[in-house]
Amino acid sequence: GSSGSSGGKRSHSMKRNPNAPVTKAGWLFKQASSGVKQWNKRWFVLVDRCLFYYKDEKEESILGSIPLLSFRVAAVQPSDNISRKHTFKAEHAGVRTYFFSAESPEEQEAWIQAMGEAARVQ
């Protein structure tokens, strides 16, 4: 039998504050960062200026988190070469651009607004 290794992979994802109010939650498709760039359906929760995403709405384990401060959130431009409908992006100098796709134009608008708010420096 092997003894448990000390250390292991350090996770850089932030912990979600259980007491912080949820600004917005819902399903979004997120473009994979590498490889075939497929779109994965994820459950997103915006809490305390940070976007957390999960496999589903049970919110059992955080797949990742994006601290939105200073990001620019906007609908995609033709130059982004994204053919998907209702797609928007969060971009930040020196950080890769995240692409998200909502299920309706209303949701797209709502997320852009909510994430834009969270990204604004007070």
Side-chain angles (χ1 to χ4, degrees), residues 16-93:
R16 179 173 156 191
N17 177 358
N19 305 316
V22 171
T23 308
K24 185 164 171 56
W27 291 101
L28 285 174
F29 288 87
K30 177 178 169 293
Q31 192 183 49
S33 54
S34 58
V36 270
K37 302 252 187 204
Q38 83 237 37
W39 293 83
N40 302 311
K41 192 174 183 181
R42 299 285 180 251
W43 176 255
F44 280 83
V45 183
L46 178 54
V47 175
D48 203 18
R49 295 176 174 269
C50 191
L51 193 62
F52 296 93
Y53 53 98
Y54 303 83
K55 195 165 73 70
D56 55 37
E57 70 270 58
K58 289 202 275 290
E59 299 177 17
E60 276 160 357
S61 61
I62 297 176
L63 294 178
S65 61
I66 305 164
L68 289 171
L69 205 63
S70 304
F71 268 84
R72 244 188 60 219
V73 186
V76 294
Q77 304 305 305
S79 58
D80 289 310
N81 291 321
I82 303 273
S83 54
R84 250 184 120 86
K85 275 195 190 121
H86 320 315
T87 304
F88 60 102
K89 61 184 174 179
E91 52 187 357
H92 190 305

